[in-house]
Amino acid sequence: MTSAHTHLTQIEDRGLLRFLTCGSVDDGKSTLIGRLLFDSKTILADTLTAIERTSTKRGLTAVDLSLLTDGLQAEREQGITIDVAYRYFSTGTRKYIIADAPGHEQYTRNMVTAASTANVAIILIDARKGVLTQTRRHSYLAKLVGIPHVIVAVNKMDLVDYSQATYDGIVAEYSAFAEQIGLTDVRFIPLSALVGDMIVDRGERLDWYTGPTLIDILEAAPAAHTEKAESFRFPVQYVCRPQASDDPELHDYRGFMGRVESGEIKVGDSVTVLPNGRTTRVKDVQLYGQSIGKAIHEQSVTLLLEDEIDISRGDMIVNSEEVPVQTKQIEAMMCWLSETPLSPARTYWLRHTTREVKAKVASIAHRVDINSLAKDAATTLAMNDIAQLTLKLAQPIFADNYTESRPTGAFILIDESTNNTVGAGMIVG
Amino acid sequence: MSTLTKQTLSHLDWLESEAIHIMREVAGQCSNPVLLFSGGKDSLCLLRLAEKAFRPGRFPFPLMHIDTGHNYKEVTDFRDKRAAELGERLIVRSVEDSMARGTVVLKNEGESRNKHQSVTLLEAIEEFGFNACIGGARRDEEKARAKERIMSFRDEFGQWDPKNQRPELWNLYNARSHKGENIRAFPISNWTEMDVWQYIEREKLELPSIYFSHIRPIVMRGGAMVPVTDITPARAGEEIVQMQVRFRTVGDITCTAPVLSDADTVEKIVIETATTTITERGATRLDDQTSDASMEQRKKEGYF
């Protein structure tokens, strides 16, 4: 085995971190992502040659790293970004997935989409412009979708002479706003994506900043969504009954397949099955037909139970001590995603974990103006609107508050006729 | 930010777990899915993931390959062997049959059949009534794929409309479709080429021999290394050189080029992948070079 290989397999694996970048092209978002990919050596020679060629064609003297995130033909034609793009890089110790969300106001739904799977948000601020309406909007959405860690990247420091006073002013203004909306874990960093200062390398012009570089902050960020101990939640995706097998031992095999959405589980644990409410113990935790004894948060496994209980897809196996609420009415924050407005007269499919039930809007408490955070009355919702509302359900779901448990507090609404995903909801009660 | 205390999955375990979850969602939500299996490295990873998702049960879907008739024999032999070992049903549908039916018409005899796979795939989807196709495409392969959903909706003509895709939030996948429409599901969307090789190494997956370094007759054409085969003979005046190469991607012979390599084990390929300076498709896919948007165009027409 060569030393390079030893290095690859022996380094510490710090898991996978999903983060979101918010800001517009003007804030240097594409350049920042390009810089992360370039400085982490993810960009390979042929891609670099291609963007060098395009940069030259456009009369630029230096390579425009923002071209690395140049999107679809349809987007290039219109000069806008219409969708969330996912990018990948690795530092050797940790793998990163970037959700690159467009910054325009009309794309609130894209930011909510990108934020739904992210554990860290990088909010870009142009040092020359300071905290803008857009910054507040992005921050509110990050809070709404429950991103636990926010990094405020004050970019374009090269254009304000690397002024500490400018940076300090932005930090003070943003901190006051963050407190107002309840963002608790906020880190600040001055940087220049264009020049490359404080991204991977410190550069030489920000001596007054003694904190970690952007990549150091990302390397140290917790990979888990929350550090709190969570209740065990296991929505059943699929039931395995391999009766036809020639192996008699498998004749009575009933495996409940799913992913541990929160908490953990081990052989012998007492569990309750919803909706029927029966309690039993875990006989085995398996993966690939092998007993693995226990499973942690986000692990896909198969559970075998001691008692024979009728369980199918859409049911949920939970910790007997911490059973979620069974309810046919939920209070939720909703982001409307569809060009067709929400109709309180219509019935929608509501998908919550692996469970699908019919749902109808009972009332809309208020709509939130995400620029001013003012609440106003509404009888319908248009695309990109955010509102608090009450939904009535045809069958119960097993609900947690979104702030307590993201995977069992989230749901989507599906239009019955088009099958489109039209709403994203977060349960508040 | 607090320090890392809670136990979390390693990056490969996380990716594996996500892929298993996606496959089980397809099985749970779709009445008649199929897994597209070519014998290539990405689809071999899919088979291991399907084993982890569904064993000790059988796969809740058959395997299917759309064969252009221009595939390397080592790969199609391997495809048949692997399907037989797993005891799962393999369907093969051929572009040549579509040509015989007149639904695929080549511009000229030399035209690559690769893009015509879309027609044969749609015919097979209709023949069997499949409403979901599980494929091994990855978002890191190409920029038209970077915005692809994990569950991607196709209309009854198999078309991908980038402006009309369903928002995909949390891990709540919407695989609903009306009759005639279908869903393309990509369980390894979030994997990179490196992740695939690391997974192959960890799971000790067997691969077709052409992924490993071997000597092969090559001609240089337009800056690319073109393997000399019965289907792609040397042209007049071209010099045939014996080169030590391996394939990084495996597909239709007319549009897949090898790279120079002496990596003859998975371990060595992992190292080579970590230190390479050329992207996977940049070096090896002759069909992606046509224009900046060629993959996007093919996807709109129903390509995987």
Side-chain angles (χ1 to χ4, degrees):
Chain A
M1 204 187 282
T2 67
S3 60
H5 187 258
T6 311
H7 179 66
L8 273 174
T9 48
Q10 288 184 353
I11 48 176
E12 186 192 5
D13 190 325
R14 296 189 33 87
L16 182 146
L17 186 76
R18 302 190 71 161
F19 68 93
L20 153 79
T21 51
C22 351
S24 66
V25 177
D26 301 338
D27 303 321
K29 178 170 63 89
S30 302
T31 309
L32 175 74
I33 294 171
R35 176 60 67 181
L36 279 169
L37 301 179
F38 183 72
D39 286 358
S40 65
K41 316 231 169 356
T42 306
I43 304 308
L44 298 177
D46 56 323
T47 308
L48 201 58
T49 309
I51 65 161
E52 273 167 2
R53 212 183 304 130
T54 312
S55 302
T56 310
K57 213 163 34 180
R58 296 189 186 173
L60 305 169
T61 48
V63 174
D64 182 357
L65 288 175
S66 71
L67 293 171
L68 287 170
T69 59
D70 209 12
L72 302 167
Q73 190 179 27
E75 294 176 320
R76 285 196 296 277
E77 282 162 9
Q78 298 174 46
I80 53 152
T81 319
I82 54 176
D83 217 335
V84 182
Y86 296 91
R87 323 264 171 205
Y88 305 85
F89 73 97
S90 169
T91 53
T93 45
R94 181 171 259 189
K95 177 183 163 107
Y96 293 91
I97 303 178
I98 312 175
D100 177 9
H104 327 278
E105 180 170 14
Q106 60 268 43
Y107 296 120
T108 293
R109 66 171 193 158
N110 285 334
M111 178 161 164
V112 170
T113 302
S116 72
T117 53
N119 278 344
V120 173
I122 299 178
I123 295 177
L124 274 144
I125 294 180
D126 183 333
R128 295 169 304 172
K129 298 179 184 160
V131 177
L132 300 177
T133 302
Q134 173 185 276
T135 317
R136 297 177 204 275
R137 184 166 70 231
H138 291 154
S139 305
Y140 171 75
L141 292 174
K143 168 70 183 168
L144 177 77
V145 188
I147 293 185
H149 314 290
V150 169
I151 301 168
V152 176
V154 182
N155 190 28
K156 305 200 180 181
M157 289 301 292
D158 52 315
L159 297 182
V160 295
D161 258 350
Y162 297 94
S163 157
Q164 185 175 4
T166 304
Y167 173 75
D168 287 345
I170 292 170
V171 170
E173 189 184 353
Y174 189 91
S175 299
F177 173 69
E179 198 179 318
Q180 187 195 332
I181 63 168
L183 275 178
T184 48
D185 187 356
V186 181
R187 300 281 295 256
F188 296 89
I189 182 169
L191 50 84
S192 165
L194 188 72
V195 181
D197 294 328
M198 284 305 157
I199 313 284
V200 173
D201 302 315
R202 298 192 69 83
E204 284 152 17
R205 287 147 293 206
L206 286 166
D207 290 345
W208 49 265
Y209 171 77
T210 53
T213 61
L214 181 62
I215 200 75
D216 287 341
I217 297 175
L218 292 171
E219 288 281 277
H225 180 66
T226 169
E227 289 297 290
K228 286 185 301 186
E230 292 180 294
S231 311
F232 171 70
R233 300 286 185 261
F234 189 85
V236 176
Q237 288 186 278
Y238 198 78
V239 180
C240 178
R241 300 203 63 181
Q243 290 159 315
S245 173
D246 45 13
D247 183 350
E249 273 189 28
L250 288 179
H251 189 75
D252 295 321
Y253 187 97
R254 281 157 64 90
F256 304 106
M257 298 177 150
R259 191 163 91 141
V260 180
E261 292 295 357
S262 75
E264 48 184 66
I265 192 74
K266 59 182 189 307
V267 172
D269 282 356
S270 171
V271 292
T272 298
V273 178
L274 299 175
N276 84 10
R278 283 192 55 188
T279 292
T280 181
R281 287 186 184 278
V282 175
K283 188 164 81 180
D284 205 359
V285 181
Q286 296 185 345
L287 176 64
Y288 198 17
Q290 310 283 316
S291 296
I292 55 171
K294 61 170 271 197
I296 61 169
H297 170 61
E298 296 191 314
Q299 201 166 1
S300 287
V301 292
T302 301
L303 296 186
L304 278 71
L305 303 179
E306 282 188 354
D307 299 295
E308 198 168 304
I309 301 176
D310 183 31
I311 300 175
S312 49
R313 175 178 167 85
D315 293 356
M316 196 187 289
I317 302 174
V318 303
N319 180 331
S320 298
E321 306 297 313
E322 299 157 314
V323 178
V325 185
Q326 286 201 50
T327 177
K328 286 168 80 172
Q329 179 166 316
I330 50 172
E331 215 30 54
M333 293 303 293
M334 166 85 70
C335 176
W336 197 250
L337 308 168
S338 169
E339 282 170 5
T340 311
L342 175 144
S343 165
R346 286 186 61 188
T347 301
Y348 296 91
W349 282 112
L350 180 147
R351 178 188 295 282
H352 172 256
T353 66
T354 58
R355 195 167 177 82
E356 221 170 63
V357 301
K358 292 205 170 186
K360 231 178 143 161
V361 173
S363 63
I364 301 176
H366 59 257
R367 186 170 53 194
V368 180
D369 179 329
I370 55 165
N371 293 321
S372 66
L373 304 187
K375 295 171 179 176
D376 40 72
T379 52
T380 179
L381 297 177
M383 184 158 82
N384 297 310
D385 278 354
I386 287 174
Q388 180 164 344
L389 44 69
T390 305
L391 288 159
K392 280 198 290 200
L393 315 178
Q395 281 87 36
I397 60 168
F398 321 119
D400 289 301
N401 261 345
Y402 186 79
T403 50
E404 292 297 313
S405 168
R406 219 180 187 187
T408 51
F411 64 88
I412 55 172
L413 286 189
I414 297 169
D415 185 310
E416 279 192 306
S417 59
T418 62
N419 285 328
N420 277 335
T421 304
V422 293
M426 290 144 280
I427 297 168
V428 295
Chain B
M1 284 171 205
S2 52
T3 50
L4 186 90
T5 49
K6 202 167 174 177
Q7 193 190 352
T8 50
L9 298 174
S10 74
H11 91 275
L12 273 188
D13 283 336
W14 190 92
L15 290 170
E16 177 186 76
S17 192
E18 181 190 50
I20 292 171
H21 177 258
I22 293 163
M23 282 203 185
R24 288 170 172 172
E25 278 307 288
V26 174
Q29 290 188 42
C30 303
S31 55
N32 191 15
V34 63
L35 186 148
L36 298 185
F37 172 56
S38 63
K41 67 180 193 310
D42 300 297
S43 60
L44 283 161
C45 286
L46 287 184
L47 290 191
R48 172 51 51 88
L49 292 163
E51 287 183 273
K52 293 207 177 186
F54 301 110
R55 292 290 186 247
R58 313 210 12 128
F59 295 175
F61 37 69
L63 315 178
M64 181 165 79
H65 184 219
I66 303 301
D67 191 344
T68 60
H70 284 174
N71 287 293
Y72 287 99
K73 191 170 181 306
E74 296 93 324
V75 181
T76 48
D77 285 351
F78 191 87
R79 171 197 74 191
D80 296 343
K81 175 177 106 110
R82 190 74 192 104
E85 282 167 359
L86 288 168
E88 301 289 346
R89 175 177 171 219
L90 173 69
I91 299 165
V92 178
R93 284 295 174 269
S94 152
V95 175
E96 284 168 349
D97 289 340
S98 301
M99 288 161 60
R101 278 193 291 275
T103 49
V104 165
V105 181
L106 300 183
K107 283 197 208 89
N108 55 62
E109 209 187 320
E111 192 198 2
S112 170
R113 296 169 178 182
N114 194 55
K115 72 171 209 172
H116 296 292
Q117 285 179 86
S118 313
V119 174
T120 311
L121 174 62
L122 292 176
E123 288 172 348
I125 286 172
E126 199 176 334
E127 178 187 349
F128 294 96
F130 293 130
N131 56 5
C133 303
I134 302 168
R138 310 190 320 264
R139 285 173 176 153
D140 85 318
E141 281 180 276
E142 214 278 339
K143 64 184 165 196
R145 295 219 194 268
K147 305 198 168 187
E148 182 61 284
R149 299 295 190 273
I150 284 173
M151 304 259 183
S152 176
F153 172 74
R154 305 298 167 100
D155 67 16
E156 54 189 323
F157 299 100
Q159 298 177 106
W160 178 68
D161 178 359
K163 280 181 256 182
N164 189 27
Q165 288 292 309
R166 297 172 182 172
E168 206 160 64
L169 297 106
W170 298 287
N171 58 357
L172 296 173
Y173 304 108
N174 174 0
R176 284 178 164 270
S177 64
H178 292 300
K179 196 168 163 34
E181 301 167 342
N182 72 89
I183 295 291
R184 307 280 168 92
F186 303 114
I188 59 169
S189 284
N190 284 326
W191 298 39
T192 61
E193 185 188 13
M194 184 63 172
D195 298 325
V196 167
W197 281 110
Q198 288 180 322
Y199 193 69
I200 288 167
E201 182 180 35
R202 186 183 88 171
E203 297 293 315
K204 300 183 173 60
L205 299 184
E206 242 189 283
L207 292 179
S209 57
I210 67 172
Y211 277 112
F212 301 101
S213 178
H214 57 281
I215 305 286
R216 178 177 289 275
I218 299 285
V219 297
M220 295 305 294
R221 191 180 296 159
M225 293 168 51
V226 179
V228 178
T229 66
D230 293 348
I231 297 154
T232 53
R235 292 174 188 164
E238 284 179 334
E239 187 195 351
I240 300 175
V241 190
Q242 298 292 328
M243 291 187 179
Q244 191 173 9
V245 297
R246 69 177 174 90
F247 286 89
R248 277 173 77 183
T249 68
V250 165
D252 188 87
I253 291 175
T254 60
C255 62
T256 318
V259 293
L260 284 175
S261 171
D262 58 6
D264 54 5
T265 64
V266 174
E267 280 178 348
K268 288 180 187 169
I269 292 172
V270 170
I271 296 163
E272 208 173 84
T273 306
T275 54
T276 184
T277 57
I278 306 287
T279 62
E280 187 175 356
R281 284 189 169 261
T284 64
R285 293 302 293 232
L286 304 170
D287 50 341
D288 287 343
Q289 314 288 322
T290 330
S291 88
D292 220 18
S294 46
M295 169 69 87
E296 186 179 345
Q297 198 53 44
R298 275 182 290 142
K299 274 167 63 73
K300 284 180 182 166
E301 289 162 6
Y303 189 76
F304 226 79

